[in-house]
Amino acid sequence: MSALRIAPDAKVMLKHGAGGRAMRELIQQVFIGDAQPPADGGIGLAAMDDGAAIRAGGQWLVMTTDSYVIKPAFFPGGDIGRLAVSGTVNDLSMMGATDVAALTCAVIIEEGFPRADLERIAASISAACAEAGATIVTGDTKVMGRGEIDGIALNTAGVAFTRRVIPDCGLRPGDKLIVTGTIGDHGLAVMARRHSLDLQGDLRSDVAPLNGLIRRAIEAGGEQLIAMKDPTRGGLASTLHEMAHKSNVGIVLEASRVPISASVQAAGELLGIDPMHAANEGKAVIAVRPGAEDRVLAALRSHSYGRHAAVVAVCVAERPGFVILDTGFGRRLLAEPEGELLPRIC
Amino acid sequence: MSALRIAPDAKVMLKHGAGGRAMRELIQQVFIGDAQPPADGGIGLAAMDDGAAIRAGGQWLVMTTDSYVIKPAFFPGGDIGRLAVSGTVNDLSMMGATDVAALTCAVIIEEGFPRADLERIAASISAACAEAGATIVTGDTKVMGRGEIDGIALNTAGVAFTRRVIPDCGLRPGDKLIVTGTIGDHGLAVMARRHSLDLQGDLRSDVAPLNGLIRRAIEAGGEQLIAMKDPTRGGLASTLHEMAHKSNVGIVLEASRVPISASVQAAGELLGIDPMHAANEGKAVIAVRPGAEDRVLAALRSHSYGRHAAVVAVCVAERPGFVILDTGFGRRLLAEPEGELLPRIC
């Protein structure tokens, strides 16, 4: 009996870059294949974590890379430069490596790109590095012809040493999940800007380097802080799905506990975008063993980037791999974004 | 008396990505500014070397990044995947770090890009990694809309540990310069392909990971091997200018000793491109103290990628910062490419 096989898409589509299931499958099929995890207990490509970890003497060298193609390059609350530094610092931080050893920065620029904009971006990179205590140690510059790239793309890679690597898995029933603040700010701010939506209030991207915040959480949580992931593309919904899937637990998310600002809520309704599915660039999801949530929460709230931190979910044995949304009126499965059409959000 | 100041270009132009003086100045002015070298003797952004070196216990962690936007993505002798792995392995090798600890790979894809091409590129990345003994440990995938990027762009960053960092400076009068093989193959192969020039012969890119070759050279040369640089964008001419400039020596290049294949010579004449200015992706320029050249040369020639290695130049005290071309009929200054118009050559 031959199983029905669905042929993979013959072309790459926007959904393959959207942080959802389509992207996971493409990466799995094309880039990972049957790659094995490193023999020394490190974290490699096959883990599809925020970054990798390789042994370096008695420590781990954590390493990550991300390209940034956000449109527009300047948006309320930040720009592509701050985004690139923050994104890479945050990926390192999510693995427990909050002392950033070095960053690289490679830039691809369209011919005709205004030099003044490039200078603004470079200044923003410097400021974000200063905030994170990080240094760009090497770089690369490429120029493409007019119309060959839309403006500018950045890539940052980063390395950091740490004694303990924190994965994005290992959750057990009873574990609590904390979000470090309001959800959906980056995605909605960028989409509102792209649609020239002029909303009252403070709709701004949350883009920020989180290593200082995460350092406090790790100090407070110790070994009871067991996993972290930043809810970037695909938003909180996608991140919780990945965590549920990797740890083979169910996750019950209490809708009423998820911090969402009024302006994000309003913009989400106008644009038809669920804040749960919208990208964050200055937030983390932190899993702790039961009993540790209060001290981690207190540590987070002592930092300006963690003032609105909240426990939002609990892991359960039922429905492993799924996220159950408790709306207060009932429970339903939260859909995993297959590949929502928010291209160039980061 | 006020000096006449030439205003910098208000827009980024193709020459700013071509590996010549315009690119050096843009990077200096926009990205480096008054950045200081690291206090611990490491190599940072300000050095504008092939990569950076930061202290890691008793060793150095060498780090590099490059983006690749070559057009076409598939060319005689290789493709963008082999190029990305080789380029990063070679930058690490040029700093003396031939044992590659890990690579990252980030890909930006245009919507509609054929999946089969992506799979070919992924396979090519794997094969080049296997040849170099390197592993991609983490990655990133972004998709841009149709017309927002021309096909595909890759970024690879790499790290390697080494006890000794080899810089691209420190040359003294009397030092000898070796090239590890024929010059201009990559640049001319790509340009010929782009112009649909159907040349007889073996006009193929030399793209290859050089860490095995360079390991032999370092073993043979020891402390007498003092500097290395790979002549990529801007070719041998640009690389020699950088070396002369950084070490404040003159470099006398003997034209008749520079290995150039007949097909590169022919294509260069047809296309009006001097092979001295054309990119190489599988070659190195190695500086040795006088007396060490023969044993380094022998070591290089024992490797398939170094069969045509030759001593091509000597450092002199005269004309510091300049490259003097000895044609056999006389001597003239070799022009530094200001920013030749060979966009997207790597």
Side-chain angles (χ1 to χ4, degrees), chain B residues 17 36 49 75 101 138 146 150 156 166 247 286 294:
Chain B
Q36 297 299 308
D49 204 329
F75 49 83
T138 190
R146 269 172 219 275
D150 186 13
T156 42
I166 299 176
S247 295
I286 301 176
D294 288 343

Side-chain angles (χ1 to χ4, degrees), chain A residues 82-125:
Chain A
R82 181 171 175 82
L83 180 66
V85 172
S86 300
T88 293
V89 167
N90 294 350
D91 278 347
L92 295 172
S93 299
M94 292 307 111
M95 299 188 75
T98 55
D99 295 322
V100 180
L103 298 179
T104 66
C105 180
V107 52
I108 304 174
I109 314 167
E110 183 182 15
E111 181 189 6
F113 191 80
R115 186 174 161 130
D117 286 355
L118 192 63
E119 286 171 355
R120 269 177 77 193
I121 291 167
S124 174
I125 288 171

Side-chain angles (χ1 to χ4, degrees), chain B residues 179-269:
Chain B
V179 294
T180 59
T182 54
I183 286 298
D185 300 69
H186 177 75
L188 269 307
V190 173
M191 293 310 289
R193 173 67 204 275
R194 224 186 273 172
H195 291 273
S196 303
L197 216 63
D198 189 16
L199 289 160
Q200 299 290 331
D202 54 351
L203 188 58
R204 293 163 61 84
S205 167
D206 58 344
V207 57
L210 294 179
N211 53 333
L213 175 74
I214 297 302
R215 197 177 293 129
R216 287 195 197 174
I218 294 172
E219 283 166 9
E223 297 287 325
Q224 304 296 301
L225 188 161
I226 48 160
M228 290 191 283
K229 197 162 191 72
D230 54 344
T232 54
R233 279 180 290 180
L236 182 65
S238 197
T239 295
L240 292 180
H241 272 96
E242 271 195 68
M243 291 178 110
H245 177 77
K246 283 191 176 182
S247 295
N248 205 35
V249 295
I251 291 178
V252 177
L253 177 65
E254 282 196 58
S256 65
R257 290 180 181 257
V258 178
I260 300 177
S261 79
S263 50
V264 165
Q265 194 73 54
E269 282 165 18

Side-chain angles (χ1 to χ4, degrees), chain A residues 10 12 29 112 115 141 150 233, chain B residues 10 12 29 112 115 141 148 233:
Chain A
V12 175
Q29 290 161 10
R115 186 174 161 130
T141 306
D150 185 13
R233 279 179 290 179
Chain B
V12 175
Q29 291 161 10
R115 186 173 160 131
T141 305
E148 293 181 341
R233 279 180 290 180

